[in-house]
Amino acid sequence: ADAKHIYILTDNHEKGSNCHAIVDHLADYISARFPQSQVQICRGSDPLVDFLRLSYSNTTICSASTFCFFAALANNGTAHFPVTKLIAKPENNSLYGSHFHWIPHAQVMNAVHLRPWHLIFFELEGRTITAEDLEGQLVQGRGRSVFYVRNQSRHQFNSGDVFEALHFEWGNVWHIDDNTINSIPMGADLDYNSIV
């Protein structure tokens, strides 16, 4: 909380890309919560300089990255790394040193409300997903049913085969809360003959 400088180290993504925008939003998000700190984005810096920043900072918080992992191991301050399949979490937590802390799996991988990944914009901007945001989108709540939102109504697919036959992609399904889904009136089910 008393950090004077907070660095966000990232690749040099093309301006206007989603990754570039997410990093900008992340910087705004951090700045709002740590107004006393100077937040600086370092895009595409020299890898050695980035490694040294990560190794010598008072606190290093990594994404799922082997580059950051090894810098975090070398860090004498405090390091945080997410539990993912990328790096095996040992049963003995002291294996990597008392400075090394794992970010629990649930906080990282089970953030269903951030699937697909671009939903992080809503989180970073503090916005609630509304019915208007869902127009033309595929949505799913806690159940198995997937709906297509069209003309302010939600339309359920008769089967997974129908979903694929209509050329939809599973990776485009928005995972949102049931209350938001239930606030949208039901429309006719979608079958092989539906025009979407």
Side-chain angles (χ1 to χ4, degrees), residues 53-60 70-79 99:
R53 281 189 178 119
L54 294 166
S55 299
Y56 283 97
S57 65
N58 294 329
T59 303
T60 294
F70 288 110
L73 287 181
N75 187 295
N76 287 323
T78 302
H99 76 290

Side-chain angles (χ1 to χ4, degrees), residues 19-179:
C19 291
H20 194 283
I22 285 174
V23 172
D24 285 345
H25 280 79
L26 178 61
D28 293 340
Y29 181 90
I30 293 172
S31 295
R33 282 149 185 80
F34 298 93
Q36 77 288 354
S37 304
Q38 179 183 352
V39 179
Q40 181 177 343
I41 301 172
C42 300
R43 301 182 196 270
S45 300
D46 182 303
L48 178 59
V49 173
D50 281 351
F51 193 90
L52 292 172
R53 281 189 178 119
L54 294 166
S55 299
Y56 283 97
S57 65
N58 294 329
T59 303
T60 294
I61 302 173
C62 293
S63 62
S65 155
T66 53
F67 181 84
C68 191
F69 174 74
F70 288 110
L73 287 181
N75 187 295
N76 287 323
T78 302
H80 301 271
F81 194 87
V83 175
T84 67
K85 294 179 181 178
L86 182 66
I87 302 290
K89 180 180 181 288
E91 290 184 18
N92 180 357
N93 282 337
S94 64
L95 180 66
Y96 297 137
S98 60
H99 76 290
F100 195 94
H101 305 279
W102 294 96
I103 302 172
H105 183 274
Q107 290 178 237
V108 179
M109 300 303 288
N110 290 343
V112 172
H113 65 289
L114 298 182
R115 297 180 189 164
W117 62 269
H118 61 262
L119 293 186
I120 197 169
F121 284 120
F122 289 93
E123 190 89 0
L124 293 173
E125 294 172 356
R127 289 196 292 134
T128 302
I129 297 174
T130 65
E132 290 77 25
D133 294 317
L134 299 176
E135 184 66 28
Q137 301 298 334
L138 300 163
V139 297
Q140 181 179 20
R142 296 173 69 92
R144 296 184 58 171
S145 297
V146 175
F147 304 93
Y148 178 59
V149 180
R150 179 177 59 186
N151 299 326
Q152 301 177 347
S153 297
R154 59 187 162 113
H155 304 269
Q156 184 174 347
F157 293 88
N158 280 346
S159 68
D161 289 337
V162 169
F163 180 94
E164 293 176 356
L166 296 176
H167 305 289
F168 287 104
E169 296 184 15
W170 296 105
N172 291 332
V173 176
W174 290 31
H175 293 260
I176 59 176
D177 67 275
D178 288 334
N179 289 336

